Amino acid sequence: MLFFRHVLEARGIRSFEEFLPPYREAARRLGVKDPDPAPKTFQGWLYDGRKPIRAFRPVLVEMLGYSIEDLWTEVPAAAEPKFVPLAGPPFSGPHVEPGMALNEMKRTGAMAARRAKEFVLGADRDRVGDDTLGLLSEEVARLVSAYPREPLSVIWQDLLTAQEDIFRVLEGGRARPAQLRDLHFNAGVLSFLVAKGFNDMEDPDQAMTMTRVAGFCAKESEHPGLVALVDGLKSLIAYWAGKTGDALHYASQGTAAVEPLNGTVGLWLLGLHARAAAVLGDAETVYAVNQTAVERRERVVPDDLDALGGLLTYSTEKQRYYIVESGALLGTGGAELTAQAEEAVRGLSDPHAPNWAFGDLAGAQCNLSLIRLHSGELEGAAEAVRPVLDLPGTHRNNGIVVSARRVQQALTRGSASTASVARELREELEQFPARRPALPR
């Protein structure tokens, strides 16, 4: 890990909330009045090894007592760092007993857990037992929660493996009729996530194929909410692929089928409908559908999909993000929409919040940038999109790239297009899609 992270953890600092007070104190000692780093910026330092820009470096050096070069040096997990501080006694980190490194222990432990799981799945040769069903359901719940929070490259193999496990159990013909509904439900949820993965990798054809698998499983499970969720995913895939008519069709189809349900899937379909209508320039439909969604929010009764969370629920924060996006796509600006866009970004900025998703946050930041451009605020637009440009390659999925491209296109229009800030920002945005080496293929 980086020595920077090593020092922080030795001081009990593992989150942005714990980091900010000593950082501000160091800034006060130096007389620095620049803004604090954003939570996403701190996470980039801590988890992705991104080196801070010059404005933050003096404060970090003052806070931790080591040079930036030492702080951004990789140190072995099981070794005692030997860096000399700029002032004070040498660093004394937590004592590490000799033996196997922690990362290696986790890796071999994960292999053992996988082997044990295969033993349980294979042990029920004549029937599907409760342990098998429990293992499969727990893995589905874990992946649903992880998907919006982790880069796809981290969980992709786990998704495919879990899907294969459930398909194998279903094909084995060992499940009792009472178990088939739950198995098909879990297979439908995993196929939904795999389809979303193909979409994030800019492979809409494979994504649509997998949604058909998800739809089949949803119907076999007799779960109308999951059936409607798959319609929503079809709309989402078409939306990011630029097939706006298809996106509108699938959203309308899902909305009609979801009328009797009380969970949030119906609200998501309305949000998808509004976004597609906005691309087509149908402002009247956008406003009417968004108003309906706001009114229905008050009557929502969370269902089992909402209980799983992740991509299967449509939080108030996500609803606000969708409403703002529909306004941005209509080319709207002004103080009121700008305030709503800023609130959408704030609502998605806490990575510890249960409904946080890095893709939603990046989309909200791109929307804020667009709306500020529509309002003639070029500097504010550049500030809003900066965290998106700083995202590591592993996080640059298809939706984020398309959102960033919209900002790039908006920078070519209007009087601001000739400003130096606009030119520099366009150049950065042009390079943004190309720097994504870590997405799975």
Side-chain angles (χ1 to χ4, degrees):
M1 67 171 71
L2 284 179
F3 184 52
F4 168 73
R5 181 173 177 178
H6 201 65
V7 173
L8 290 183
E9 290 187 355
R11 300 182 185 188
I13 299 174
R14 290 179 172 81
S15 68
F16 181 72
E17 291 74 17
E18 294 168 334
F19 168 84
L20 202 53
Y23 178 90
R24 287 175 171 171
E25 177 58 25
R28 186 194 62 76
R29 291 196 300 269
L30 292 176
V32 172
K33 300 187 183 301
D34 291 333
D36 297 330
K40 198 70 177 177
T41 302
F42 170 73
Q43 290 173 359
W45 298 343
L46 194 66
Y47 298 115
D48 301 319
R50 213 161 52 235
K51 206 166 185 178
I53 62 174
R54 294 188 182 278
F56 298 123
R57 293 181 187 181
V59 183
L60 292 172
V61 171
E62 171 68 15
M63 173 185 168
L64 301 175
Y66 289 84
S67 70
I68 288 294
E69 287 69 28
D70 286 348
L71 290 170
W72 260 261
T73 298
E74 293 283 344
V75 296
E80 188 82 20
K82 301 296 184 183
F83 297 115
V84 178
L86 301 177
F91 172 78
S92 178
H95 181 62
V96 179
E97 293 291 341
M100 189 180 292
L102 181 60
N103 286 344
E104 180 65 11
M105 291 170 65
K106 289 181 177 179
R107 187 185 70 80
T108 55
M111 291 172 61
R114 175 64 196 166
R115 176 66 185 88
K117 181 179 176 181
E118 289 175 350
F119 167 75
V120 172
L121 293 177
D124 292 335
R125 290 181 176 85
D126 299 322
R127 59 178 177 77
V128 177
D130 292 339
D131 289 331
T132 293
L133 289 175
L135 283 170
L136 295 173
S137 295
E138 287 170 7
E139 183 68 352
V140 169
R142 181 185 74 83
L143 291 167
V144 168
S145 177
Y147 194 103
R149 311 180 76 88
E150 301 280 357
L152 184 58
S153 56
V154 171
I155 64 169
W156 183 243
Q157 188 57 53
D158 287 351
L159 276 172
L160 300 182
T161 300
Q163 186 187 45
E164 171 62 22
D165 286 341
I166 290 186
F167 284 167
R168 191 166 68 246
V169 171
L170 281 168
E171 289 170 347
R174 294 175 284 130
R176 296 189 296 274
Q179 297 172 323
L180 287 173
R181 184 176 297 178
D182 286 344
L183 285 167
H184 277 110
F185 174 81
N186 284 329
V189 170
L190 286 171
S191 299
F192 175 97
L193 294 177
V194 173
K196 178 64 164 60
F198 278 121
N199 177 70
D200 287 345
M201 290 187 283
E202 297 181 75
D203 194 343
D205 293 334
Q206 295 282 25
M208 278 298 189
T209 297
M210 193 57 71
T211 61
R212 293 188 180 93
V213 176
F216 167 81
C217 294
K219 290 173 184 174
E220 289 294 306
S221 71
E222 300 178 358
H223 196 294
L226 187 56
V227 172
L229 201 73
V230 173
D231 282 332
L233 184 59
K234 290 177 182 177
S235 177
L236 185 85
I237 293 166
Y239 172 77
W240 291 120
K243 298 179 179 180
T244 311
D246 289 351
L248 195 64
H249 165 72
Y250 288 124
S252 301
Q253 175 178 287
T255 300
V258 84
E259 285 292 341
L261 304 180
N262 296 318
T264 64
V265 61
L267 300 184
W268 184 45
L269 287 159
L270 290 172
L272 292 163
H273 189 154
R275 290 203 310 188
V279 175
L280 297 173
D282 186 356
E284 184 177 350
T285 295
V286 170
Y287 296 134
V289 171
N290 281 337
Q291 184 58 38
T292 298
V294 170
E295 293 168 357
R296 286 192 187 177
R297 170 64 68 175
E298 299 176 0
R299 302 194 297 273
V300 161
V301 178
D303 58 15
D304 54 345
L305 297 174
D306 294 308
L308 280 169
L311 299 181
L312 308 188
T313 191
Y314 188 62
S315 66
T316 54
E317 295 89 352
K318 190 161 189 170
Q319 184 173 358
R320 188 182 300 119
Y321 151 52
Y322 270 51
I323 289 172
V324 168
E325 183 154 301
S326 62
L329 292 170
L330 287 172
T332 310
E336 182 178 353
L337 188 58
T338 299
Q340 292 176 6
E342 291 169 348
E343 178 60 27
V345 171
R346 282 194 297 272
L348 292 164
S349 291
D350 181 5
H352 301 292
N355 295 316
W356 182 79
F358 72 84
D360 292 347
L361 175 58
Q365 289 163 333
C366 288
N367 291 337
L368 176 58
S369 183
L370 272 177
I371 290 162
R372 285 178 173 172
L373 281 174
H374 297 155
S375 304
E377 300 176 27
L378 180 56
E379 294 287 346
E383 178 188 14
V385 81
R386 172 52 52 194
V388 180
L389 292 170
D390 289 341
L391 283 172
T394 53
H395 290 65
R396 300 183 185 189
N397 62 34
N398 181 36
I400 294 175
V401 168
V402 173
S403 297
R405 191 175 293 132
R406 289 173 180 157
V407 178
Q408 177 190 345
Q409 292 167 349
L411 286 164
T412 64
R413 301 188 289 268
S415 58
S417 61
T418 58
S420 59
V421 173
R423 288 197 302 272
E424 292 171 5
L425 194 55
R426 277 201 308 272
E427 290 173 3
E428 282 196 79
L429 287 162
E430 285 171 5
Q431 295 300 315
F432 182 77
R435 295 164 52 201
R436 292 183 294 158
L439 281 179
R441 295 187 181 280

